[in-house]
Amino acid sequence: MPEEVKQDARKITRRRFLDYLLGGSIVVSLGSAVGVILTYIYPPKKEGGAETVQRLEVGDISEIPQGKAKPVVFQNKNVIVIHVKEGFFAVDMKCTHLGCMVEWDVEKGVLFCPCHAAYFDYKGKVISGPAPSPLPLYKVEIAQDKIYVTKGA
Ligand code: FES
């Protein structure tokens, strides 16, 4: 008889343990869900990240010989820095037609959108194709042989 009482006590303990385990998992799951929702509603502020940089150092001027280009990320946007005989230009790479990324065609000296064949000049002006407007232009500064991209053209 005392053996049966012991087994009953063990069954109750196991059940309670499983209840605690289930309850604990529900609390952890709800906590995680609430954390995700709060992070979505109140995103953490980023300081000094790529999106807050007002002036981006692209590199030394020797890194982009005339006729070449270098893609960079400036304020969360893909920007291409182009070196032509007229100087350095920084153009937003997002095509104004449907948003594909344009590429610099070294041979032709133009920006080309591979999606629907839009062409832009080194200042982002539409040459041909379906793009409805020019590509945004950024300001380029040269200081002590370094190239910088800043906001505004
Ligand atoms: S997305 Fe560039 S031409 Fe259509």
Side-chain angles (χ1 to χ4, degrees), residues 27-49:
V27 168
V28 168
S29 300
L30 286 175
S32 300
V34 168
V36 168
I37 290 167
L38 287 176
T39 303
Y40 179 76
I41 294 170
Y42 305 105
K45 293 194 172 158
K46 295 174 185 169
E47 293 176 18

Side-chain angles (χ1 to χ4, degrees), residues 124-145:
K125 186 179 158 205
V126 179
I127 298 171
S128 66
S133 55
L135 300 169
L137 200 57
Y138 292 86
K139 189 174 178 183
V140 175
E141 295 173 359
I142 307 292
Q144 296 172 335
D145 290 342

Side-chain angles (χ1 to χ4, degrees), residues 12-28:
I12 290 171
T13 302
R14 185 181 294 161
R15 170 173 273 187
R16 280 208 171 148
F17 172 74
L18 290 174
D19 286 346
Y20 288 139
L21 192 64
L22 181 64
S25 340
I26 289 170
V27 168
V28 168

Side-chain angles (χ1 to χ4, degrees), residues 93-102 112-120 128-132 135:
M93 294 177 74
K94 188 175 177 183
C95 181
T96 53
H97 180 224
L98 294 177
C100 292
M101 289 297 123
V102 299
F112 167 69
C113 181
C115 291
H116 310 100
Y119 283 89
F120 305 85
S128 66
L135 300 169

Side-chain angles (χ1 to χ4, degrees), residues 22-133:
L22 181 64
S25 340
I26 289 170
V27 168
V28 168
S29 300
L30 286 175
S32 300
V34 168
V36 168
I37 290 167
L38 287 176
T39 303
Y40 179 76
I41 294 170
Y42 305 105
K45 293 194 172 158
K46 295 174 185 169
E47 293 176 18
E51 61 279 350
T52 60
V53 170
Q54 297 299 310
R55 188 177 193 236
L56 175 72
E57 182 181 321
V58 175
D60 201 272
I61 54 172
S62 62
E63 287 180 37
I64 310 175
Q66 190 172 315
K68 303 279 183 172
K70 179 180 178 180
V72 294
V73 175
F74 176 60
Q75 295 188 333
N76 270 350
K77 299 198 180 212
N78 292 303
V79 174
I80 191 158
V81 180
I82 304 162
H83 185 188
V84 289
K85 70 177 188 227
E86 291 81 2
F88 288 91
F89 295 86
V91 181
D92 196 303
M93 294 177 74
K94 188 175 177 183
C95 181
T96 53
H97 180 224
L98 294 177
C100 292
M101 289 297 123
V102 299
E103 301 165 3
W104 177 246
D105 186 327
V106 175
E107 309 253 322
K108 295 177 183 166
V110 293
L111 289 161
F112 167 69
C113 181
C115 291
H116 310 100
Y119 283 89
F120 305 85
D121 72 6
Y122 59 86
K123 285 184 170 178
K125 186 179 158 205
V126 179
I127 298 171
S128 66
S133 55

